[in-house]
Amino acid sequence: MTSPGDAAPVKPPPSLSRGVARSTSKGRFPEGPESTHSIDAELPETPTATSPTTSLPTATELPVRSASPHARSVRSSTPQLARSSLGSPFDRNIDGSDDTRSLIIRAFSPAVAIFASEDTDELVRNKGFQGGFSELIRPFGETVSGKVVIRDSVGSSRAWEDYGVRFMNLRGFGRIPTGRESARDSPLAQMEEVLAKQLITGDNILGASLPSKDVLGFPGTSPLSKLLLRQLLSSTRPAPHETFSHPVASVIAISSRNTAPLETLRQLYSESSSGHSRLPDWVNQEYLRYYVLVHDEERDDITESTKLYDQMKRHFGLHCHLLRLRSSQCVVTDDDSVQVPTCEWLSPMEHLSGVGEAETLVDLGTDGTPYLFDSDVTAIKTFVRELIVQSVIPFMENRVAVWNDQVASRRRGFSGRLVSMMGRRFAGLGSGSRSSGSGPGGSGNFDPALNSYSPETPEAILRKMADFAFMLRDFKLASSTYEMIRSDFGNDKAWKYHAGAHEMCAVSTLLNPLSMSAKIKLENIDQMFETACYSYLTRCSDATHALRSLSLAVELLKSRGGSATESAAKWAMRVMDFGLVGPVGNVLFTERVAACYASKTPAGGAKWGARRRKAGMWNILAADQWLKVGQPTMASGSLEEAERLYAEVLETEGVFPMPEMQRFVDGLRHAIKVGYLESRGFGAHDETAADHSLGTEETSEKLDKRNHRRSLIGLPGQLDAGNLNIPTSGRDTENQPNDDFERA
Amino acid sequence: MLSYQSRAALDVLIPSTPCVLSPHSQLSKMSYYFTILSPTDTPIFNIAFGTSKGGGDGIARFRFPDTAQYMNQFIIHSSLDIVEEAQWTNGGMYLKHIDTYPPATAYISAFLTPSGARFLLLHQPPQLPSSGTSGSLGSSSLLGSSASTTRASSSSVAANPTSPQTEEAIRQFMNEIYESYVKTAMSPFYKQGMEIKSPVFRTRVTAAGKKWL
């Protein structure tokens, strides 16, 4: 029972991920530097990064470079990865290097349902949390203080810095699926709305963050696309085909104010397992129950509570906790007030309803950001840690082991395969035509009417086991289990399950740190994403999940580097092709394509192999699109990025060899400048005044123009000869007004 | 120059399209954009043309809206990344199909000359049924007009840009142009890196395009 107080300061986390998680709770945007830092290790631009690139022996670098850019290969040649599971290779190599991976891993956290009695919610509401007990502890579940040690299926332990769980209200769980059909497409629309809102409200913050992005070299993931990803990962609702949002445990809470505590606990238990708060039938009802007694420090007697707590422990076993809270509301002026962290994982709906929006606008009002007493925070953190480390994780490990033993191993062996195949064959024969919808071949466990497997069937259990393994970050077991079941779902025509298993199989394979060194076949991964996407989109018309799997494909393939980045870019283009995202999302994915190409680095210090021109082109396209959605500031950021990328491949900086490109880029530059000035309230005519009064972006653009004009005068003869006829005439007409307007 | 040309071509065509073109010609009209780049990446020769096979009229119809014809150059320029990479791993002068720009299904084939000039051919098949359906879900704003273009089958050889027949046809085309290019470049009035303005060369390229593509 380590208290977080002494666990936390032991040593600073080696991974960035938790630090990022912390900082995001304050404001979403200053995290740019961290992310850039992690990526630019792969870029040869920064002087620090060049040394590993050039020092690499070129001879060992194969010209084929199918799986690894040098940055990756440096890493994979380190001996840690070869050791299967000693130590924690994750901490150093993956989390530290790429926080997008960590973001994705954290997105699939176990869900813990909260089922609090009325008196508990009442107590918490007095403290200023209108949502009751679940709202109070929800932010604290997202990051567990200290390390969490998890044993995987082979029995080796690994410590995680960034583990967390998702607290949710059990009462809300059953209600959501009812309104599902009507609002099927709404998460995507909501997401777009959130992005648009963020663009408006966060305009200043974004504008401020853009230059810093440039200073540090390369933007890893722009804050907005990170927001998009986070939104996407938290927007999926509980569904039968994946169990990530099904509760792994449920916390049943009563308070010391309760007059009949044990009866209330019993009643809550029966209500959650058979009453009207029972989870839908497709959820496995076999989850952990955890009992919490919330003690009111100010009104009630601790001896009474302790007595009650002992009684609870006798009745319910070890899964109990006594949480001591003060019942009065804390305000910012109190001595030991601590701001409650905001939730990182808010669904688009919650974003729009303003759950997490209080952060920047509220100054000192008590209605906005809630505060808690320091002692309360400590108590809650201790509770959460104890809940996770001592109950939830052992429970999950246990379930995985049991299911692995009882269900999976039966399938895995040769005889198991034979039996399942024979059963399938005979079942198919028995029911006549296999293709008829009513009698799907296979095991027949799938219920087409309900569109789900019942949770007791082997298929559902295997899926749940794989999900548990995934949430326990045992990606090897997860991917092998998904691999095992994915074809079964196809045989049963359970398309959503089919899609989900393919998606998660690919994701877990990509997340598996050991397959980083071993060359896994990229075609297989691509094929899996392809299948998942087809099943989601065409067979189930589930755009949210399709978009989620495509985004995961983009981010994970990009983080693998090497030729996978081109695959990543391809998937990002696919997203746009499918039209899954709105205008803002479209621009963000255009930027992702650019980022994917930009992250491809030349092999082994050679000059070729990078994708600078492609990245530059996509940034130009992004700038164009930003302008179309009316965001000149963002457009100027993209344009600067493009210029930076192009600078290395163009003979003369800012001068494109192709006349039409030149014309287009010049026009874009001008349009962005005008748009920017107009958005700042300057008319088109007083631009010059604005030139002097404006900030950083303007000066840099001006420099570019200078460069450009100088280069026009002193073009190298060779270029001149080629360019003279068409281009200069075109450029002169383009430049004339520009000159005027700068001179005026 | 190019945009002017193709715009004029479109102006002529749009009113007359239904009566002039047979349904068959709509099936297989590939559009081509051919560029010769000097070693410093400066374009020294540009031409856009359409297929003449299968009743095609030899006029390029790219999928970009008329205002976005610069995309051809962007795509060609971006494919130089791949050319630079492929030229070290591929021994031949003809590099075959090296790059694709999926949003517009534009394919790039490349040919290297010993002097460092590169021939790049962008070929764009007409809208395929598959991309047509996905485009109807909502195409990107850049290809605003693409969803409305005609649907065509990919069965004909010319419409499948990666088939061996197409590769072979492009190889023949490239070789023929290479021959003309060498002759042009050997002209005493031509300096390395200069734009090729010779009308003879242009007609030869057009003829080669008619013959092979």
Side-chain angles (χ1 to χ4, degrees):
Chain A
M1 202 190 286
T2 45
S3 89
D6 54 35
V10 167
K11 87 183 185 65
S15 68
L16 277 178
S17 47
R18 252 160 52 79
V20 172
R22 287 269 169 78
S23 75
T24 47
S25 59
K26 293 274 183 256
R28 222 156 258 110
F29 295 101
E31 58 187 75
E34 275 115 323
S35 59
T36 57
H37 178 70
S38 64
I39 299 283
D40 61 16
E42 296 181 359
L43 275 180
E45 287 154 31
T46 44
T48 48
T50 5
S51 46
T53 328
T54 44
S55 67
L56 254 194
T58 343
T60 59
E61 206 66 35
L62 290 174
V64 190
R65 331 165 334 276
S66 64
S68 54
H70 55 274
R72 229 18 103 175
S73 62
V74 166
R75 209 175 295 136
S76 60
S77 64
T78 54
Q80 291 105 312
L81 277 184
R83 292 180 300 168
S84 67
S85 45
L86 303 171
S88 54
F90 265 101
D91 289 341
R92 254 161 296 153
N93 292 325
I94 289 156
D95 288 358
S97 74
D98 198 345
D99 64 342
T100 311
R101 285 173 82 92
S102 157
L103 185 76
I104 290 170
I105 292 175
R106 279 183 296 128
F108 295 98
S109 308
V112 175
I114 304 289
F115 201 48
S117 68
E118 272 308 313
D119 46 277
T120 318
D121 280 343
E122 188 57 43
L123 190 155
V124 174
R125 245 173 250 136
N126 284 345
K127 293 176 72 69
F129 292 84
Q130 292 312 309
F133 189 61
S134 60
E135 187 191 318
L136 171 69
I137 63 169
R138 183 174 166 185
F140 295 97
E142 286 171 357
T143 41
V144 181
S145 47
K147 284 189 178 179
V148 175
V149 178
I150 305 175
R151 293 171 74 83
D152 65 13
S153 59
V154 211
S156 57
S157 308
R158 187 175 290 162
W160 293 93
E161 290 278 351
D162 56 351
Y163 207 78
V165 292
R166 212 67 61 73
F167 284 117
M168 59 183 190
N169 201 339
L170 187 71
R171 291 195 168 88
F173 190 89
R175 279 207 310 273
I176 296 171
T178 54
R180 206 149 177 259
E181 259 63 41
S182 60
R184 198 186 51 208
D185 276 315
S186 63
L188 292 182
Q190 285 170 344
M191 218 173 332
E192 185 74 17
E193 210 176 310
V194 170
L195 287 175
K197 206 167 136 194
Q198 192 66 58
L199 268 178
I200 297 163
T201 58
D203 207 3
N204 301 324
I205 313 168
L206 284 173
S209 78
L210 280 175
S212 70
K213 184 169 88 172
D214 277 346
V215 167
L216 272 170
F218 187 71
T221 313
S222 82
L224 263 182
S225 31
K226 204 173 263 180
L227 174 67
L228 174 69
L229 183 66
R230 199 180 294 131
Q231 289 278 297
L232 199 54
L233 289 169
S234 47
S235 68
T236 48
R237 290 166 181 162
H241 73 278
E242 58 178 24
T243 67
F244 292 112
S245 50
H246 299 184
V248 163
S250 114
V251 172
I252 295 176
I254 58 163
S255 74
S256 55
R257 293 182 188 176
N258 201 307
T259 44
L262 290 184
E263 284 71 41
T264 316
L265 283 174
R266 269 201 200 96
Q267 188 203 332
L268 285 172
Y269 176 85
S270 61
E271 201 180 314
S272 71
S273 55
S274 55
H276 66 270
S277 290
R278 187 184 143 87
L279 296 174
D281 281 335
W282 35 263
V283 176
N284 199 331
Q285 303 292 334
E286 221 183 294
Y287 53 88
L288 180 77
R289 303 300 204 291
Y290 195 87
Y291 301 90
V292 174
L293 173 63
V294 179
H295 170 69
D296 183 348
E297 288 274 43
E298 284 166 7
R299 280 205 234 160
D300 294 310
D301 186 11
I302 183 67
T303 48
E304 287 296 313
S305 295
T306 320
K307 220 178 285 170
L308 176 60
Y309 179 56
D310 286 339
Q311 220 173 340
M312 277 168 65
K313 272 208 262 191
R314 263 201 308 280
H315 272 80
F316 303 113
L318 285 172
H319 300 302
C320 292
H321 191 87
L322 175 63
L323 179 61
R324 299 168 65 170
L325 295 178
R326 291 170 64 177
S327 59
S328 56
Q329 183 168 1
C330 178
V331 287
V332 68
T333 45
D334 283 338
D335 281 347
D336 50 353
S337 67
V338 176
Q339 195 176 7
V340 176
T342 43
C343 288
E344 190 187 359
W345 301 97
L346 290 173
S347 73
M349 207 193 301
E350 289 164 324
H351 256 289
L352 289 178
S353 59
V355 174
E357 292 301 308
E359 48 206 59
T360 49
L361 306 172
V362 184
D363 29 12
L364 286 177
T366 43
D367 54 330
T369 332
Y371 285 83
L372 276 177
F373 295 108
D374 198 21
S375 60
D376 287 352
V377 171
T378 314
I380 293 174
K381 279 185 175 165
T382 315
F383 155 64
V384 170
R385 182 169 170 84
E386 198 176 302
L387 164 74
I388 292 174
V389 172
Q390 294 183 4
S391 297
V392 171
I393 293 205
F395 170 76
M396 288 171 76
E397 285 168 352
N398 180 26
R399 295 318 299 166
V400 169
V402 167
W403 284 328
N404 198 5
D405 207 37
Q406 295 179 351
V407 190
S409 64
R410 224 182 290 159
R411 288 285 308 282
R412 225 172 255 137
F414 173 70
S415 58
R417 216 168 288 164
L418 200 66
V419 165
S420 89
M421 210 192 300
M422 295 295 272
R424 212 162 281 282
R425 203 49 55 74
F426 287 133
L429 284 177
S431 66
S433 64
R434 286 191 57 191
S435 54
S436 71
S438 60
S443 55
N445 286 330
F446 181 62
D447 187 346
L450 292 174
N451 214 3
S452 64
Y453 289 92
S454 102
E456 296 84 39
T457 56
E459 285 86 352
I461 286 179
L462 282 173
R463 167 79 207 203
K464 198 164 176 66
M465 175 191 134
D467 287 352
F468 269 33
F470 193 94
M471 291 188 283
L472 291 174
R473 305 183 181 182
D474 184 354
F475 299 114
K476 191 160 174 276
L477 178 65
S479 67
S480 69
T481 313
Y482 288 125
E483 177 87 41
M484 187 166 67
I485 51 174
R486 65 193 172 120
S487 59
D488 289 6
F489 293 140
N491 289 335
D492 285 352
K493 296 195 169 47
W495 295 125
K496 218 166 215 181
Y497 285 83
H498 182 244
H502 275 87
E503 175 192 6
M504 293 319 294
C505 186
V507 169
S508 51
T509 314
L510 283 172
L511 281 174
N512 188 353
L514 302 178
S515 64
M516 298 282 284
S517 50
K519 279 185 189 173
I520 49 159
K521 288 256 171 5
L522 271 181
E523 300 87 64
N524 290 352
I525 302 272
D526 273 349
Q527 186 59 45
M528 281 190 261
F529 278 122
E530 178 85 52
T531 314
C533 185
Y534 180 75
S535 281
Y536 273 139
L537 203 59
T538 313
R539 287 166 171 150
C540 307
S541 53
D542 184 345
T544 315
H545 277 101
L547 182 57
R548 186 189 74 178
S549 66
L550 287 178
S551 311
L552 287 174
V554 171
E555 297 303 334
L556 289 175
L557 285 169
K558 174 171 177 288
S559 78
R560 280 190 78 85
S563 57
T565 51
E566 293 194 44
S567 222
K570 193 191 75 188
W571 288 114
M573 289 181 216
R574 193 71 80 80
V575 171
M576 291 184 271
D577 193 32
F578 283 143
L580 293 173
V581 281
V584 177
N586 222 336
V587 194
L588 288 178
F589 272 98
T590 311
E591 280 189 340
R592 291 320 283 155
V593 177
C596 288
Y597 279 129
S599 70
K600 180 119 181 346
T601 42
K607 251 190 100 180
W608 41 274
R611 297 282 180 269
R612 289 286 147 75
R613 296 183 183 91
K614 276 180 185 286
M617 174 179 78
W618 282 96
N619 269 318
I620 295 271
L621 296 182
D624 188 32
Q625 291 183 24
W626 276 125
L627 207 56
K628 277 179 188 152
V629 295
Q631 293 292 337
T633 318
M634 301 299 289
S636 120
S638 293
L639 186 66
E640 274 176 37
E641 190 56 36
E643 277 165 356
R644 212 180 49 70
L645 287 158
Y646 270 130
E648 296 183 24
V649 287
L650 295 182
E651 292 272 312
T652 322
E653 204 175 318
V655 179
F656 292 90
M658 309 241 181
E660 285 180 27
M661 279 172 77
Q662 182 72 53
R663 210 173 303 148
F664 177 70
V665 173
D666 284 345
L668 191 65
R669 246 176 232 159
H670 184 70
I672 286 172
K673 191 166 187 172
V674 170
Y676 184 77
L677 291 174
E678 273 171 8
S679 75
R680 293 289 151 115
F682 294 103
H685 48 275
D686 47 32
E687 276 173 8
T688 41
D691 261 351
H692 299 294
S693 64
L694 271 182
T696 48
E697 274 122 315
E698 283 315 301
T699 52
S700 69
E701 270 192 88
K702 224 161 122 187
L703 274 179
D704 275 341
K705 288 232 155 71
R706 281 281 149 70
N707 250 346
H708 170 201
R709 209 183 304 140
R710 193 197 324 136
S711 59
L712 255 184
I713 299 162
L715 261 183
Q718 199 180 12
L719 262 179
D720 215 352
N723 260 351
L724 246 171
N725 264 4
I726 318 164
T728 42
S729 63
R731 214 179 287 150
D732 278 347
T733 52
E734 276 298 309
N735 275 343
Q736 211 50 55
N738 273 0
D739 287 353
D740 273 348
F741 109 89
E742 274 195 1
R743 220 174 279 140
Chain B
M1 177 167 119
L2 161 83
S3 59
Y4 171 73
Q5 200 178 36
S6 53
R7 192 172 305 145
L10 281 174
D11 284 347
V12 171
L13 265 166
I14 287 166
S16 60
T17 305
C19 51
V20 169
L21 297 176
S22 68
H24 178 67
S25 75
Q26 291 209 342
L27 287 183
S28 59
K29 41 172 205 197
M30 289 279 274
S31 301
Y32 298 96
Y33 184 83
F34 176 73
T35 303
I36 299 179
L37 292 179
S38 77
T40 54
D41 296 353
T42 317
I44 52 180
F45 182 80
N46 283 322
I47 189 170
F49 58 95
T51 187
S52 302
K53 302 273 178 211
D57 52 0
I59 289 165
R61 281 173 211 81
F62 292 104
R63 289 194 208 172
F64 314 106
D66 219 18
T67 49
Q69 290 301 327
Y70 55 84
M71 279 308 293
N72 280 335
Q73 292 194 345
F74 266 106
I75 295 168
I76 293 243
H77 187 254
S78 71
S79 72
L80 284 177
D81 277 335
I82 317 279
V83 174
E84 278 177 4
E85 190 177 328
Q87 67 189 354
W88 299 109
T89 51
N90 190 328
M93 289 168 81
Y94 175 45
L95 302 179
K96 295 193 177 170
H97 157 238
I98 51 157
D99 192 19
T100 320
Y101 177 72
T105 49
Y107 297 80
I108 308 277
S109 299
F111 185 91
L112 303 171
T113 68
S115 63
R118 280 148 299 174
F119 299 174
L120 291 171
L121 179 74
L122 181 151
H123 38 126
Q124 191 177 51
Q127 199 88 48
L128 296 173
S130 57
S131 58
T133 48
S134 62
S136 68
L137 276 170
S139 60
S140 73
S141 61
L142 265 176
L143 313 171
S145 70
S146 67
S148 63
T149 48
T150 54
R151 300 155 66 94
S153 78
S154 56
S155 58
S156 74
V157 170
N160 182 4
T162 47
S163 72
Q165 288 94 331
T166 317
E167 299 276 22
E168 182 58 23
I170 293 175
R171 197 174 67 80
Q172 303 273 19
F173 170 76
M174 292 288 198
N175 276 329
E176 201 162 317
I177 291 182
Y178 178 51
E179 204 182 316
S180 329
Y181 170 75
V182 169
K183 284 175 187 161
T184 316
M186 284 199 301
S187 150
F189 301 107
Y190 181 79
K191 243 177 38 204
Q192 170 92 28
M194 248 168 66
E195 198 197 350
I196 301 177
K197 282 173 283 182
S198 154
V200 180
F201 183 70
R202 188 168 285 272
T203 44
R204 287 220 177 118
V205 172
T206 318
K210 254 189 200 132
K211 190 166 160 197
W212 297 112
L213 301 176

